[in-house]
Amino acid sequence: MFYHIAQWLERNFDIPGMGVFGYISFRGAMAIIAALIIVIAFGIKVIRMLQRHQIGEEIRNLGLEGQLQKRGTPTMGGLIILLAILVPTVLFCDLTNVYVQLMIVSTIWLGLIGFVDDYIKVFRKNKEGLNGRFKIVGQVGLGLIIGLTMWHSNDITVRRTIRTHDADKIVMTEPNGSQQVVYLTPAEKQALTTIPFIKGNEFDYGDLFPFDNESHTWGWVVYVLAAIFIVTAVSNSANLTDGLDGLAAGTSATIGVVLGLLAYFSGNIIYANYLGIMYIPFSGELFVYTCAFVGALVGFLWYNSYPAQVFMGDTGSLAVGGVIATLALLIRKEFLLPILCGVFMVESLSVMMQVAWFKYTRRKYGEGRRILLMSPLHHHYQKKGYHETKIVVRFWIMQLLLAAITLVTLKIR
């Protein structure tokens, strides 16, 4: 909103200082400040509202240290996160940008699914929450929206740096005054993505179907299916990771920082050329959104760090995971998620391996056996006697390491 107001004022009244809102870096800084203020200032009011309505977490006794002390802690704190993401986004983003519009849809879409899940658990006293099939339907629906919009929207294109004169010539002026000539392909609508650690690391889903070189229809079909899988997998993984105070929020904030930087680089022709990555016009606006996202999560730790005053619940965890998946898809970096979201992936794998091994051994030996003391993985370490805070901090450290490796992939090929 401020972005559009500032543009109008500068265009019609030439008011000094309004041009600063044209800088993505300035609006990103304002978004993160606004998100932090919203969480810290209004978070306690939301928590008290949840307490008044007795919206507390029902804790099953799993024999974990300090577990029963959390009984009655307000859940649905994801409402705080959603508020702190959406308000700065509306205030400081270019709302005509299709990438921002998709992020707003993703945030609200999965936030609503998580809210319904929490509502059923709290008010209907059903510990299972929303039926898993309905969750999957919602996640598949969001994947379809993202994939089909990426295909049909004329505002979503990519331009690749090439070393030939058979392309658009762009002369860039560096900050030191020197000039550099870059040749870019025309704007393309292709199902392109990035493969880490490989030189010339652009992969076209359409290459899977050599007979479909003209329309690329089958490539887009595969891309849409990939979008559905990624949204479903990452949102559910974030949900599984949300089991200890501050674990999901801190981990997701680090992931958000990396995705924000990648969005900024991809949307800036100078940095895209320097790093040898796809230039995605107008995707730099996602940097402002990710600043609000990171600010909301870091601010949420004010109340969610040990001992937590509020849990994000599925309202927050499903939305946070969906946001991460959508961001990666929009900037064509979804193949980096196994590295960047390594903590999420390990948590999910620990559950799948535990369940699969238990079922296999029960069929073979008549008694189910376990690989871990308890899944997800963070509960395994709790069973081994590690304090909750130590587990969370160590997972944060591992996430920082994975974030650094993800950024290194930009130059190591």
Side-chain angles (χ1 to χ4, degrees):
M1 183 175 68
F2 289 156
Y3 170 78
H4 299 288
I5 293 173
Q7 275 197 328
W8 182 80
L9 290 174
E10 185 180 30
R11 185 170 56 250
N12 292 281
F13 301 100
D14 197 23
I15 297 178
M18 291 297 102
V20 73
F21 283 91
Y23 291 94
I24 289 175
S25 55
F26 172 78
R27 288 186 284 121
M30 295 302 295
I32 197 169
I33 291 170
L36 286 167
I37 292 173
I38 289 170
V39 174
I40 295 172
F42 296 100
I44 190 62
K45 296 181 180 179
V46 175
I47 292 171
R48 287 171 181 166
M49 181 270 291
L50 295 174
Q51 289 172 332
R52 283 197 304 271
H53 291 82
Q54 298 181 332
I55 304 176
E57 182 79 4
E58 289 293 329
I59 303 293
R60 290 184 298 169
N61 189 0
L62 300 176
L64 300 173
E65 182 181 354
Q67 180 192 26
L68 296 181
Q69 297 173 3
K70 298 183 179 184
R71 179 172 290 166
T73 301
T75 187
M76 300 176 77
L79 292 171
I80 303 171
I81 297 174
L82 297 180
L83 182 70
I85 293 174
L86 293 173
V87 172
T89 297
V90 171
L91 291 179
F92 297 106
C93 282
D94 176 4
L95 299 179
T96 64
N97 185 290
V98 65
Y99 296 107
V100 172
Q101 293 169 356
L102 282 172
M103 292 313 309
I104 293 174
V105 169
S106 300
T107 306
I108 296 174
W109 187 282
L110 285 178
L112 284 174
I113 295 174
F115 178 83
V116 172
D117 189 38
D118 286 335
Y119 182 88
I120 293 173
K121 289 178 182 177
V122 173
F123 291 100
R124 300 292 179 84
K125 305 301 180 184
N126 183 347
K127 294 181 181 179
E128 298 301 320
L130 183 65
N131 189 293
R133 287 175 295 180
F134 292 112
K135 285 185 184 179
I136 295 297
V137 168
Q139 291 162 334
V140 169
L142 179 59
L144 281 171
I145 290 172
I146 295 167
L148 293 175
T149 303
M150 294 279 284
W151 182 12
H152 288 290
S153 175
N154 293 325
D155 295 325
I156 296 179
T157 58
V158 297
R159 304 187 72 178
R160 292 178 284 179
T161 302
I162 57 175
R163 304 301 178 186
T164 176
H165 292 269
D166 298 327
D168 294 341
K169 177 181 177 181
I170 297 177
V171 180
M172 299 185 303
T173 302
E174 303 287 351
N176 60 8
S178 62
Q179 290 187 330
Q180 181 180 359
V181 177
V182 178
Y183 294 93
L184 294 175
T185 61
E188 303 172 273
K189 283 197 66 62
Q190 293 189 26
L192 291 173
T193 190
T194 302
I195 302 178
F197 301 117
I198 296 177
K199 191 173 183 179
N201 60 347
E202 293 160 2
F203 170 73
D204 190 338
Y205 286 91
D207 291 341
L208 297 172
F209 304 94
F211 56 84
D212 192 39
N213 288 333
E214 293 297 326
S215 64
H216 297 283
T217 301
W218 287 105
W220 279 104
V221 170
V222 176
Y223 178 81
V224 172
L225 293 175
I228 291 171
F229 172 77
I230 291 166
V231 168
T232 303
V234 178
S235 58
N236 286 327
S237 297
N239 186 241
L240 289 172
T241 305
D242 182 33
L244 299 179
D245 296 351
L247 178 57
T251 302
S252 301
T254 305
I255 295 171
V257 169
V258 175
L259 290 175
L261 290 173
L262 292 175
Y264 186 82
F265 296 151
S266 299
N268 185 296
I269 190 172
I270 295 177
Y271 289 122
N273 175 67
Y274 173 73
L275 294 170
I277 60 177
M278 282 183 287
Y279 168 52
I280 308 175
F282 311 115
S283 65
E285 196 67 26
L286 289 171
F287 177 74
V288 184
Y289 175 91
T290 54
C291 284
F293 177 72
V294 172
L297 290 170
V298 172
F300 187 68
L301 288 173
W302 185 280
Y303 301 108
N304 185 239
S305 58
Y306 183 86
Q309 296 173 256
V310 65
F311 301 138
M312 69 168 66
D314 286 6
T315 306
S317 60
L318 286 177
V320 165
V323 163
I324 290 170
T326 304
L327 277 168
L329 286 164
L330 295 184
I331 60 175
R332 320 280 179 146
K333 301 293 184 293
E334 63 267 25
F335 283 3
L336 290 175
L337 288 179
I339 303 172
L340 180 58
C341 297
V343 171
F344 287 176
M345 186 174 71
V346 169
E347 292 275 63
S348 293
L349 288 175
S350 70
V351 174
M352 291 188 286
M353 291 170 60
Q354 184 89 324
V355 172
W357 182 249
F358 184 85
K359 290 181 177 179
Y360 170 75
T361 54
R362 186 171 59 183
R363 285 196 306 268
K364 186 171 183 178
Y365 304 109
E367 180 184 7
R369 301 176 183 177
R370 292 173 173 82
I371 301 173
L372 304 172
L373 297 177
M374 183 179 289
S375 64
L377 185 61
H378 55 260
H379 287 326
H380 169 76
Y381 289 112
Q382 275 189 293
K383 282 286 191 179
K384 292 188 73 172
Y386 289 88
H387 191 273
E388 182 171 340
T389 305
K390 182 177 287 291
I391 298 170
V392 170
V393 171
R394 287 184 174 178
F395 273 57
W396 285 355
I397 293 171
M398 292 305 300
Q399 182 56 63
L400 287 170
L401 174 62
L402 293 170
I405 293 172
T406 302
L407 290 175
V408 165
T409 63
L410 293 175
K411 295 302 291 183
I412 297 181
R413 302 174 187 173

